Amino acid sequence: MKLGKALAALLSAAPGCERSTAQPPAAAPAPAAAATSCEDAWLQAHDLNSFGDKPGTMYPGGTPLFNERTGASTDRLQHLAARLPALKAACAKDGG
């Protein structure tokens, strides 16, 4: 036990080994919420998840945007436009 106390005293006296009593920096404030896109507003209005399916839909690999067999990824907006022509038409009018 004496060795532990001696080592602690030695380390605390060593230059550059001062014990910091400073508090960690506060977390950065969250960025302002981004404006909801036309597609997201349309999906919410039609009670669909962010991929255009019923809420609670489960996907192999966690997302329908990634094909585990081929390794190919699909852009979410392209995926939505291909599956939901009404969404594509509604948001094309808004420029979104």
Side-chain angles (χ1 to χ4, degrees):
M1 192 66 159
K2 289 181 182 180
L3 180 61
K5 287 183 180 180
L7 183 58
L10 181 62
L11 289 176
S12 66
C17 293
E18 293 84 22
R19 176 174 265 172
S20 173
T21 58
Q23 296 294 321
T36 302
S37 71
C38 174
E39 290 83 4
D40 290 328
W42 191 93
L43 291 169
Q44 187 175 18
H46 289 84
D47 194 32
L48 298 172
N49 69 15
S50 60
F51 304 114
D53 295 311
K54 293 178 183 178
T57 300
M58 303 288 284
Y59 306 100
T63 175
L65 304 179
F66 180 71
N67 185 325
E68 291 181 322
R69 276 185 281 137
T70 65
S73 294
T74 303
D75 178 74
R76 184 177 79 97
L77 297 180
Q78 290 175 345
H79 172 79
L80 291 171
R83 294 191 64 243
L84 303 166
L87 177 144
K88 182 178 178 181
C91 292
K93 296 174 188 173
D94 289 346

